[in-house]
């Protein structure tokens, strides 16, 4: 009972301090569109909420064009050609494999098939049947099975395990078709998490990836999930993994942003510390991520992932101008953490964007003062 009273006192104290802080600074909040005090993101050239693309974190027009062609014609050959022309070790190939697999999975969900009806995603089945030795098709099929397991079954059930075991087999087949390709092993990282690989098994898998693509940001983000407390590790193991990756990151690598993702994965559900988002651990991780995006190649497709997460932390930390700087780069696409955890990613992103605009203007900012 004494502990309960202490907790209640802390909550009340935090509430009082928050109100005093808001009165001192001037509160920043959301109001209805059209309200005289409403800050309008459109004044900054930002996309309307209904125009936000939830499929990808950033632009990839070649992928969008091919996806549209494949889904419209149900002919896989456009996808096959695009993957064949995409660098195997690069981040973009991994994103494209995920996108094709996701498209097939969502098609199947929308059209499961029945008597006299062709199920959705049939083009992927035809791809595997007509080109069984194509490494791209094999990788997409393996990722498709992984996404099917997470979307249609509950971890720990027999159904989930059966699909994941099938995915594991598909990963092995894809790896045999392209021995130097890291993608089949990246797909298997999700299998390892789902099936609960032992740490020794996981480390062996991870070494195969490091041999092929040691600085692959997508691979590190996938591996981080395994080490998180909610899966097979702990907060300490996840932080250690992320900080080690950042420490060995070569110049221009986005791996320096890994600690920020570790912080996000272990955010406290109830935070009684009013300044958590200005705390040393968060500030250090944010600075590392800011340095990473400023020094990375402008065409690095993983930049968008880091910038989206930065918006979340910068808005929470009331660093409005810095949040706005990130928004000018990524606005228009919302297919990344943390928005994809919401049932309506576009709406979630729009709320944070509106808060950033309101905070920016409350501190003297305007469209004229925002660099583009």
């Amino acid at each position: 009972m004494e502990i309960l009273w202490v907790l209640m006192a802390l909550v009340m104290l935090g509430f009082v301090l928050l109100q005093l802080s808001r009165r001192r600074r001037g509160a920043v909040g959301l109001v209805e569109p059209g309200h005289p005090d409403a800050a309008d993101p459109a004044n900054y050239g930002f996309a309307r909420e209904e125009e936000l693309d939830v499929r990808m974190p950033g632009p990839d027009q070649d992928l969008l064009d091919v996806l549209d062609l494949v889904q419209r014609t149900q002919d896989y050959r456009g996808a096959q050609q695009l993957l064949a022309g995409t660098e195997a070790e690069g981040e973009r190939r991994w994103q494209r494999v995920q996108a094709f697999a996701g498209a097939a999975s969502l098609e199947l969900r929308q059209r499961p098939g029945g008597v006299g009806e062709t199920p959705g995603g049939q083009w992927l089945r035809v791809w595997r049947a007509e080109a069984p030795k194509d490494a791209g098709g094999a990788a997409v099929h393996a990722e498709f099975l992984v996404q099917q397991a997470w979307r249609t079954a509950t971890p720990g059930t027999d159904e989930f395990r059966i699909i994941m075991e099938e995915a594991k087999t598909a990963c092995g087949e894809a790896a045999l078709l392209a021995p130097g390709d890291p993608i089949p092993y990246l797909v298997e990282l999700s299998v390892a998490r789902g099936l609960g690989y032992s740490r020794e098994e996981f480390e062996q898998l991870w070494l195969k990836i490091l041999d092929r693509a040691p600085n692959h940001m997508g691979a590190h983000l996938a591996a981080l999930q395994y080490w998180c407390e909610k899966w097979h590790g702990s907060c300490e193991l996840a932080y250690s993994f992320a900080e080690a990756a950042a420490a060995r990151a070569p110049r221009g690598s986005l791996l320096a942003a890994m600690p920020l993702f570790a912080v996000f994965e272990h955010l406290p559900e109830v935070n009684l510390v009013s300044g958590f988002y200005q705390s040393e651990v968060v500030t250090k991780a944010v600075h590392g991520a800011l340095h990473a995006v400023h020094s990375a190649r402008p065409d690095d497709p993983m930049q968008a992932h880091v910038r989206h997460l930065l918006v979340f932390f910068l808005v929470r930390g009331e660093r409005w101008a810095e949040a706005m700087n990130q928004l000018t780069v990524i606005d228009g696409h919302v297919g990344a953490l943390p928005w994809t955890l919401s049932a309506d990613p576009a709406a979630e992103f729009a709320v944070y964007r509106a808060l950033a605009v309101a905070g920016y203007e409350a501190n003297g900012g305007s469209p004229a003062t925002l660099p583009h």
Side-chain angles (χ1 to χ4, degrees):
M1 182 61 73
E2 290 180 1
I3 294 176
L4 179 60
W5 282 111
V6 170
L7 288 175
M8 289 178 65
L10 286 172
V11 170
M12 291 302 296
L13 177 60
F15 177 78
V16 170
L17 291 174
L18 178 61
Q19 298 308 310
L20 290 173
S21 176
R22 283 181 172 174
R23 289 173 187 170
R24 189 166 57 246
R25 291 193 308 264
V28 175
L30 296 181
V31 296
E32 292 297 321
H35 189 282
D37 294 332
D40 189 357
N43 293 337
Y44 296 83
F46 294 148
R48 296 166 61 89
E49 182 179 330
E50 59 270 23
E51 297 171 344
L52 294 170
D53 192 328
V54 302
R55 295 170 294 179
M56 299 185 300
D60 186 345
Q61 194 58 49
D62 289 340
L63 172 60
L64 289 179
D65 291 343
V66 171
L67 265 176
D68 177 68
L69 177 66
V70 169
Q71 294 188 303
R72 182 162 36 85
T73 65
Q74 291 294 295
D75 186 339
Y76 68 87
R77 285 175 293 184
Q80 182 184 37
Q81 293 169 5
L82 183 65
L83 285 183
T86 306
E87 181 188 8
E89 295 80 13
E91 306 281 356
R92 197 170 298 280
R93 180 178 171 86
W94 172 228
Q95 292 187 3
R96 288 173 172 177
V97 166
Q98 290 179 298
F100 287 129
S105 179
L106 288 175
E107 279 187 40
L108 182 59
R109 182 177 181 179
Q110 294 165 356
R111 302 193 309 277
V115 178
E117 181 185 4
T118 301
Q122 184 66 19
W123 54 269
L124 179 55
R125 297 182 184 84
V126 175
W127 187 355
R128 292 296 294 130
E130 292 186 355
K133 301 298 183 183
D134 181 65
V140 172
H141 178 241
E143 174 64 15
F144 166 81
L145 290 171
V146 166
Q147 294 195 27
Q148 281 294 99
W150 291 112
R151 281 196 174 106
T152 65
T154 302
T157 63
D158 289 342
E159 180 186 8
F160 181 84
R161 178 167 289 277
I162 288 170
I163 301 174
M164 277 297 189
E165 289 287 0
E166 186 179 356
K168 182 178 180 180
T169 300
C171 288
E173 294 171 352
L176 289 174
L177 291 173
D181 189 348
I183 301 299
Y185 301 105
L186 265 71
V187 178
E188 193 178 348
L189 288 173
S190 189
V191 176
R193 178 162 54 96
L195 293 180
Y197 281 22
S198 69
R199 291 182 182 177
E200 292 75 17
E201 291 174 311
F202 188 85
E203 290 286 4
Q204 290 175 7
L205 172 61
W206 184 237
L207 286 175
K208 293 176 182 177
I209 294 172
L210 291 182
D211 285 344
R212 292 161 175 80
N215 300 314
H216 200 289
M217 181 70 173
H220 281 78
L221 291 178
L224 176 64
Q225 290 294 314
Y226 178 90
W227 294 114
C228 285
E229 187 175 35
K230 61 187 175 183
W231 287 107
H232 309 292
S234 65
C235 181
E236 292 74 19
L237 286 170
Y239 271 67
S240 176
F241 175 80
E243 288 169 358
R248 68 168 183 273
R251 183 177 179 81
S253 170
L254 288 166
L255 290 177
M258 284 298 299
L260 189 64
F261 287 87
V263 170
F264 177 76
E265 292 295 342
H266 295 89
L267 288 176
E269 291 185 11
V270 178
N271 181 19
L272 299 178
V273 182
S274 60
F276 174 76
Y277 289 93
Q278 294 90 23
S279 66
E280 182 179 355
V281 64
V282 173
T283 299
K284 182 180 178 182
V286 166
H287 285 171
L290 286 169
H291 171 75
V293 295
H294 289 157
S295 60
R297 298 192 327 270
D299 63 343
D300 190 323
M302 293 303 293
Q303 268 215 46
H305 287 274
V306 180
R307 291 185 186 274
H308 278 288
L309 198 60
L310 273 169
V311 168
F312 172 86
F313 279 98
L314 292 171
V315 168
R316 290 289 188 97
E318 300 182 7
R319 297 167 65 168
W320 313 116
E322 291 171 290
M324 292 293 286
N325 289 336
Q326 301 304 318
L327 286 167
T328 61
V329 180
I330 60 171
D331 190 74
H333 297 84
V334 295
L337 286 174
W339 328 121
T340 50
L341 296 178
S342 169
D344 190 342
E348 185 77 2
F349 173 83
V351 167
Y352 275 77
R353 185 179 63 183
L355 283 170
V357 170
Y360 183 63
E361 294 186 352
N363 287 274
S366 71
T369 61
L370 183 66
H372 287 80

